[in-house]
Every structure is written in structure tokens, then in C-alpha cells.
Amino acid sequence: MHALPDGEAEVALVVRLPWEDVARLGQDAGRLAAQLQRPVTLDEAVSHRLRSRPAAAHAKPAEQTGATTVSTLPRISGSSA
């Protein structure tokens, strides 16, 4: 991770994806390039997609005060307690 001049941070990741997902990212890049009227990279398309999607439920800040307890975490499927 390193800081960028615009005040944001950049994190480098290695992600293994099926070719179908890579193809979808290529389609997203094509749509973004048409929208911006300039070429874009797959990295830029991924960044745009992550920024433009609504936050996932698990990423929303907790409305309650204090730490989240284990009992409020989702149960892992496949195990019965």
C-alpha cells in the first residue's frame, strides 16, 4: 500500500479470476471507455466498478455503539450449532 498525491491510497492485489469474469471486466472497460470517450485499462475499469457499486451490507458502519460481538456475525453455512 502507498499514498497517492491526491490523498488516496493504492493497494496492489493479485486476484485469480475465471476467464468469464475477465471477459465481463473487458465489457465493463469497453462501456467505461465509451462513456469517457477514451481508452481505459482493466485496472481502471475494476477501480471504477468498485467505486460505483453501493457498499455491501458488511461494509456499512455499525449503527450501534460499541464493538460487534460474535453473536451478531453471520453463521457459517454447513455447520449446525
Side-chain angles (χ1 to χ4, degrees):
M1 178 186 311
H2 65 276
L4 300 175
D6 62 2
E8 294 187 356
E10 181 176 273
V11 178
L13 300 173
V14 175
V15 181
R16 292 179 59 148
L17 298 172
W19 283 111
E20 296 82 13
D21 291 342
V22 175
R24 279 191 286 271
L25 289 173
Q27 291 172 343
D28 285 351
R31 285 190 288 273
L32 182 59
Q35 179 183 351
L36 300 176
Q37 297 190 354
R38 65 174 176 80
V40 298
T41 64
L42 286 180
D43 288 347
E44 188 176 359
V46 169
S47 179
H48 181 265
R49 184 175 198 176
L50 290 172
R51 290 171 183 257
S52 64
R53 297 183 92 184
H58 65 276
K60 291 182 183 175
E63 293 180 17
Q64 67 189 43
T65 308
T68 303
T69 61
V70 174
S71 63
T72 62
L73 296 175
R75 179 167 283 175
I76 298 173
S77 62
S79 63
S80 30

